[in-house]
């Protein structure tokens, strides 16, 4: 059940919890060409209460989730258990990671695209893990109670089996290791951002296969909030997950394209970064994007004058301390900086600091 929080900062601090009666939802995934994605995103979000879109740019395809409330007496007991979040054989995860490492080190874009296509086709064919009765998927729509459809996966709740199976990201095994970049762009300008990404794909058709290996770009709708550091208008949240080497000085295949998208979204389109899923560069000057940051700091000073709930990181994000950007050799490879000289990339591996292909103000590490 959703919990709504209200805090009155002008009086004694209070929290009011509001429980929403349980309800049912109906979900259908629709695969479409992404040719008109920029035009469709705004209207689609307003048409469906729980809508989101998964975008596979290199495949020129988008998966629209048609997701709405239905009457509580509508038949159906569906369950959502997202396939990548299920317990997975550790040996299979090791093979996947080894293949990914090899494709990166040999710059095998075709190999990454083949794996991406196989991964996404499997997810689409299996309805991403939706089942009509908790056991099998028999067709759309999948109807069930909100709590069963809002769930995502069971790997954290799986039985202890000496790590024979694990979550894909479990650091105790050889599994996934990745960067995440997540920010939200205002619905009023999101069409232009999407079209800029499509221009990059036209220039480098295989460049985003690496993102599609991690199920593409997840696009979620976010409404405006009155919170001082909340979302300031209706927006679309873009979630990118992509390969990260265990060696911080190792460049990535098509690193420049992902870096350009990152800088484009954050700086050209004023994207607000997710507070937990980003690299350092996304937080450069972020406090200036919030019109009520001054009010937030006043409340912070009133209720936490000793800084008990503060840290060096939060002070940097709020503009109270310097140090978001860390300049050193290879800093751009890990997102600790935006490159301004070749040493911020890795010239010995053929990666130099260049301008973006579409967003010319971007400075990215390109393979030359």
């Amino acid at each position: 059940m959703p919990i709504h929080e209200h805090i009155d900062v002008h009086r004694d601090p209070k929290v009011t919890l509001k429980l929403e009666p349980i309800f049912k939802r109906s979900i259908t995934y629709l695969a479409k060409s992404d040719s008109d994605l920029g035009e469709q995103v705004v209207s689609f979000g307003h048409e469906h209460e729980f809508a989101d879109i998964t975008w596979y740019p290199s495949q020129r395809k988008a998966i629209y989730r048609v997701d709405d409330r239905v009457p509580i007496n509508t038949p159906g007991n569906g369950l959502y258990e997202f396939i990548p979040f299920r317990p997975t054989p550790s040996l299979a995860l090791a093979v996947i990671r080894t293949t990914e490492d090899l494709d990166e080190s040999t710059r095998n874009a075709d190999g990454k695209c083949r794996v991406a296509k196989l991964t996404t086709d499997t997810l689409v064919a299996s309805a991403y893990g939706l089942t009509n009765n908790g056991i099998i998927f028999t067709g759309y729509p999948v109807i069930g109670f909100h709590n069963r459809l809002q769930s995502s996966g069971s790997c954290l709740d799986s039985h202890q089996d000496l790590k024979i199976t694990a979550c894909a990201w479990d650091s105790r095994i050889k599994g996934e290791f990745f960067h995440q970049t997540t920010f939200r762009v205002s619905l009023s300008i999101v069409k232009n951002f999407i079209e800029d990404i499509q221009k990059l794909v036209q220039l480098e058709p295989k460049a985003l296969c690496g993102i599609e290996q991690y199920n593409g770009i997840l696009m979620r709708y976010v409404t405006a909030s009155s919170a001082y550091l909340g979302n300031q208008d209706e927006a679309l949240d873009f979630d990118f997950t992509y390969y990260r080497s265990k060696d911080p000085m190792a460049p990535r295949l098509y690193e420049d394209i992902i870096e350009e998208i990152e800088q484009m979204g954050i700086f050209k389109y004023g994207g607000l970064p997710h507070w937990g899923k980003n690299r350092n560069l996304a937080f450069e000057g972020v406090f200036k994007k919030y019109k009520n940051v001054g009010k937030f700091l006043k409340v912070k000073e009133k209720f936490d004058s000793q800084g008990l709930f503060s840290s060096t990181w939060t002070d940097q994000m709020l503009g109270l301390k310097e140090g978001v950007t860390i300049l050193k050799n290879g800093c751009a490879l890990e997102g600790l900086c935006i490159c301004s000289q070749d040493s911020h990339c890795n010239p010995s591996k053929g990666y130099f600091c260049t301008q973006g292909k579409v967003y010319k103000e971007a400075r990215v590490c390109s393979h030359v």
Side-chain angles (χ1 to χ4, degrees):
M1 299 180 186
I3 296 178
H4 302 281
E5 179 181 298
H6 168 72
I7 300 178
D8 188 343
V9 298
H10 302 292
R11 302 179 181 177
D12 294 334
K14 297 178 181 179
V15 175
T16 302
L17 302 180
K18 179 182 178 182
L19 299 182
E20 185 170 353
I22 195 167
F23 59 92
K24 278 189 169 183
R25 289 160 52 187
S26 170
I27 299 177
T28 298
Y29 283 109
L30 296 177
K32 299 181 179 181
S33 165
D34 74 349
S35 59
D36 61 346
L37 180 62
E39 298 174 355
Q40 292 294 325
V41 289
V42 176
S43 59
F44 183 71
H46 287 137
E47 290 167 359
H48 305 285
E49 184 176 3
F50 304 104
D52 69 25
I53 302 171
T54 302
W55 184 19
Y56 306 131
S58 288
Q59 298 179 45
R60 311 295 208 280
K61 181 170 64 178
I63 309 298
Y64 293 77
R65 192 176 81 188
V66 178
D67 190 346
D68 294 290
R69 296 185 191 227
V70 293
I72 196 74
N73 60 354
T74 305
N77 192 30
L79 177 69
Y80 180 47
E81 189 179 357
F82 187 46
I83 292 173
F85 292 172
R86 295 178 182 180
T88 306
S90 299
L91 180 59
L93 293 172
V95 170
I96 292 170
R97 178 65 187 190
T98 299
T99 302
E100 195 173 15
D101 285 336
L102 182 61
D103 286 343
E104 284 283 336
S105 63
T106 59
R107 299 185 55 78
N108 183 9
D110 289 332
K112 294 179 79 70
C113 289
R114 283 193 296 269
V115 173
K117 186 70 164 57
L118 176 62
T119 300
T120 56
D121 284 352
T122 300
L123 289 173
V124 171
S126 57
Y128 293 88
L130 282 171
T131 56
N132 298 80
N133 55 10
I135 302 174
I136 61 172
F137 171 69
T138 58
Y140 293 120
V142 174
I143 297 170
F145 288 102
H146 172 71
N147 61 302
R148 285 170 60 84
L149 297 181
Q150 190 63 26
S151 60
S152 58
S154 59
C155 68
L156 290 176
D157 301 322
S158 61
H159 297 295
Q160 296 297 320
D161 58 8
L162 301 178
K163 294 179 284 189
I164 295 174
T165 63
C167 295
W169 55 87
D170 193 325
S171 61
R172 299 173 301 169
I173 64 168
K174 183 175 183 178
E176 291 181 352
F177 189 60
F178 48 76
H179 282 298
Q180 281 194 311
T181 293
T182 304
F183 51 81
R184 55 197 51 168
V185 175
S186 172
L187 279 182
S188 63
I189 55 176
V190 74
K191 177 177 181 287
N192 296 332
F193 176 52
I194 289 172
E195 290 177 346
D196 275 352
I197 294 177
Q198 290 172 326
K199 291 174 184 176
L200 282 170
V201 173
Q202 289 175 354
L203 294 172
E204 296 286 358
K206 302 173 185 177
L208 298 185
C209 289
I211 285 178
E212 292 173 9
Q213 285 183 279
Y214 291 86
N215 196 33
I217 302 171
L218 178 59
M219 301 157 64
R220 295 176 285 194
Y221 293 89
V222 186
T223 191
S225 169
S226 60
Y228 292 157
L229 296 185
N231 201 51
Q232 300 184 120
D233 54 7
E234 290 184 329
L236 196 61
D237 190 280
F238 290 80
D239 199 324
F240 306 83
T241 303
Y242 49 98
Y243 175 87
R244 182 183 187 184
S245 173
K246 295 289 180 129
D247 176 4
M249 289 299 293
R252 298 183 309 282
L253 181 60
Y254 290 119
E255 172 159 339
D256 55 333
I257 301 299
I258 297 178
E259 286 182 349
E260 184 170 348
I261 291 172
E262 182 178 37
Q263 293 176 41
M264 187 188 297
I266 293 292
F267 302 114
K268 179 179 179 180
Y269 291 100
L272 293 177
H274 187 292
W275 292 109
K277 295 193 291 184
N278 269 300
R279 311 185 313 162
N280 285 40
L281 70 91
F283 299 106
E284 185 62 47
V286 65
F287 63 95
K288 298 176 184 177
K289 297 181 180 181
Y290 291 93
K291 61 184 178 183
N292 288 321
V293 69
K295 294 179 180 179
F296 176 84
L297 291 174
K298 288 181 180 179
V299 174
K300 175 183 179 298
E301 177 62 26
K302 178 178 179 180
F303 291 107
D304 188 28
S305 58
Q306 302 300 313
L308 180 64
F309 296 100
S310 297
S311 68
T312 299
W313 185 84
T314 59
D315 287 344
Q316 290 171 339
M317 298 310 105
L318 295 170
L320 302 176
K321 287 184 179 179
E322 299 292 329
V324 175
T325 294
I326 301 172
L327 295 176
K328 62 179 184 178
N329 288 346
C331 57
L333 304 177
E334 285 284 289
L336 300 176
C337 71
I338 297 173
C339 72
S340 56
Q341 57 192 49
D342 291 337
S343 64
H344 294 158
C345 301
N346 192 333
S348 67
K349 296 288 183 67
Y351 280 75
F352 297 85
C353 188
T354 67
Q355 71 177 21
K357 291 178 168 59
V358 172
Y359 177 43
K360 301 300 184 181
E361 288 79 2
R363 291 297 177 267
V364 298
C365 294
S366 300
H367 185 260
V368 179

